[in-house]
Amino acid sequence: MSRSASLQRSTSESSIELTLNLDGTGRADISTTVPFFDHLLTAFAKHSLVDLSVRATGDTHIDVHHTVEDTAIVLGQAIRQALGDKAGIGRYGDATVPLDDALARAVVDVSGRPYLVHTGEPAGFEFHLIGGHFTGSMIRHVFEAISLNAGITVHVTVLDGRDPHHIAEAEFKAFARAFRKAVENDARVVGIPSTKGAL
């Protein structure tokens, strides 16, 4: 059974078309009109082995916020749809990823319960303009939108780092690797991986 989803979302602030395949090879075709966000989503696809296509436009002449947030919302919704009943998955995943000076850890539980714990970014990171346009505060916002709309629990912790670009990218790569483990099918899992019988 295909674990994929294709969704569209249009508002007065943005227009998003997104296709996702959980059982891909990491192919990415990303255009959000926000270059650093394209970079992060491409890294997510590559390291989660999810095939991801995104076409997004929005009112970036005001701020990147709406386009980035709405893309993350649709990504979360697509993940939820593609997971189906979650039968046979490993459910849990964790990863610690370095990027030069930066070190980030992510833990994912495909629990059906949306929750984000996001800590460790250095003081002032949220105000930094990465690439001159992408505010550091958007990193937490993206993880929040994904977790809420996908129905997953996500813990992301920055353990070390100085360069904002490296910190943000390490966070996304750690999330990608943890996500990959959590959604992968496990041949030893029979049915839903929960004592409740549902996720």
Side-chain angles (χ1 to χ4, degrees):
M1 183 179 297
S2 173
R3 298 197 304 162
S4 60
S6 293
L7 297 177
Q8 297 182 1
R9 182 179 193 266
S10 292
T11 71
S12 62
E13 297 173 341
S14 70
S15 178
I16 317 293
E17 295 182 3
L18 184 148
T19 299
L20 170 144
N21 178 7
L22 294 179
D23 300 311
T25 59
R27 287 197 315 268
D29 181 14
I30 312 293
S31 177
T32 67
T33 70
V34 182
F36 187 66
F37 192 41
D38 290 357
H39 180 57
L40 295 177
L41 290 177
T42 299
F44 168 73
K46 173 64 73 174
H47 294 284
S48 66
L49 295 182
V50 164
D51 289 345
L52 182 63
S53 174
V54 180
R55 290 290 175 271
T57 57
D59 55 2
T60 54
H61 60 286
I62 296 173
D63 192 358
V64 304
H65 187 107
H66 297 146
T67 301
V68 171
E69 177 182 38
D70 290 352
T71 301
I73 287 170
V74 176
L75 176 55
Q77 292 171 341
I79 288 169
R80 182 192 289 266
Q81 182 175 316
L83 280 168
D85 66 3
K86 308 179 185 76
I89 65 168
R91 178 176 168 178
Y92 299 101
D94 66 280
T96 303
V97 171
L99 180 55
D100 297 345
D101 55 290
L103 183 65
R105 179 176 62 225
V107 184
V108 172
D109 177 10
V110 183
S111 60
R113 296 184 306 276
Y115 203 90
L116 174 68
V117 177
H118 182 251
T119 59
E121 289 177 345
F125 177 89
E126 67 272 28
F127 304 117
H128 191 87
L129 287 176
I130 305 170
H133 60 276
F134 187 96
T135 310
S137 63
M138 291 306 301
I139 298 296
R140 175 187 173 86
H141 208 48
V142 168
F143 287 132
E144 188 172 50
I146 292 171
S147 62
L148 287 174
N149 287 278
I152 60 178
T153 295
V154 178
H155 288 245
V156 178
T157 307
V158 176
L159 302 172
D160 206 350
R162 178 186 55 82
D163 182 89
H165 182 136
H166 292 167
I167 292 168
E169 190 171 338
E171 290 183 79
F172 264 75
K173 288 179 176 178
F175 172 66
R177 296 288 296 189
F179 180 82
R180 173 183 168 183
K181 291 180 185 177
V183 303
E184 277 182 340
N185 286 308
D186 186 331
R188 297 180 64 198
V189 175
V190 177
I192 309 297
S194 170
T195 55
K196 296 191 295 291
L199 287 172

